[in-house]
Amino acid sequence: MTGKMWTILAMAALVAGPPVMAQETGALTSKIELEKSVAGADGQPARKTYVAPDVVVPGDRVRVTLIFTNKGAAPAAGVNLVNPIPEGLVFDEIADPANFGVSTDDGKTFGALAALTVSVAGAAARPATAADVTHVRWLWPDPIAPGQSRSVAFFGRVR
């Protein structure tokens, strides 16, 4: 995948659902990083690092970090952060499952992946898999103070 295509993936990851924009006092930014494994020194296990990618190829694992900053004068309560999975990625996992859900129906409904099913024409619904995930969502019940930020991340694999 070329650097140009990566730009398209990065732009797609910046798109947030209307609930965040409806806050009108928040700013949403994102950061996409390529996961690299760095060999450990003196027999230590390898460790993961994250770098800005120049090029990605199918199978590469990336971390998408979303940062919400409250730009208003009052606490932002009930923030609902929704982000589509870019077409070039397959959802892999998240770092922190608190207040998290996924959608397999283009953001219409959300839940734990293990609890979701996918309709199959002419057959019984099947359990949803990570490849079926179309959107991720975090609901933050605790207010975010003015000027403060909160971040979350999900991982994906390049198709």
Side-chain angles (χ1 to χ4, degrees):
M1 182 175 286
T2 66
K4 181 177 180 184
M5 183 58 163
W6 182 249
T7 301
I8 293 169
L9 285 177
M11 288 171 55
L14 286 172
V15 177
V20 169
M21 296 306 161
Q23 295 280 334
E24 295 183 9
T25 61
L28 182 66
T29 56
S30 70
K31 177 171 58 172
I32 300 176
E33 299 166 297
L34 178 64
E35 183 176 286
K36 294 281 191 176
S37 184
V38 177
D42 299 324
Q44 295 295 315
R47 62 183 173 83
K48 294 176 186 174
T49 63
Y50 297 91
V51 298
D54 291 324
V55 175
V56 296
V57 298
D60 278 349
R61 188 168 193 246
V62 296
R63 176 174 66 184
V64 180
T65 303
L66 306 169
I67 304 111
F68 175 83
T69 302
N70 181 0
K71 299 284 190 177
V79 174
N80 180 9
L81 181 63
V82 176
N83 200 87
I85 301 297
E87 262 187 55
L89 290 182
V90 174
F91 174 76
D92 196 9
E93 69 173 336
I94 56 164
D96 181 5
N99 302 308
F100 176 78
V102 298
S103 175
T104 59
D105 59 5
D106 294 319
K108 294 179 186 101
T109 59
F110 288 86
L113 182 59
L116 298 176
T117 59
V118 175
S119 298
V120 178
R126 64 170 175 76
T129 67
D132 297 314
V133 174
T134 61
H135 290 71
V136 292
R137 177 186 75 181
W138 288 266
L139 295 173
W140 293 329
D142 300 330
I144 301 169
Q148 296 298 304
S149 297
R150 189 172 296 168
S151 65
V152 289
F154 69 92
F155 296 88
R157 292 224 178 251
V158 177
R159 292 183 191 264

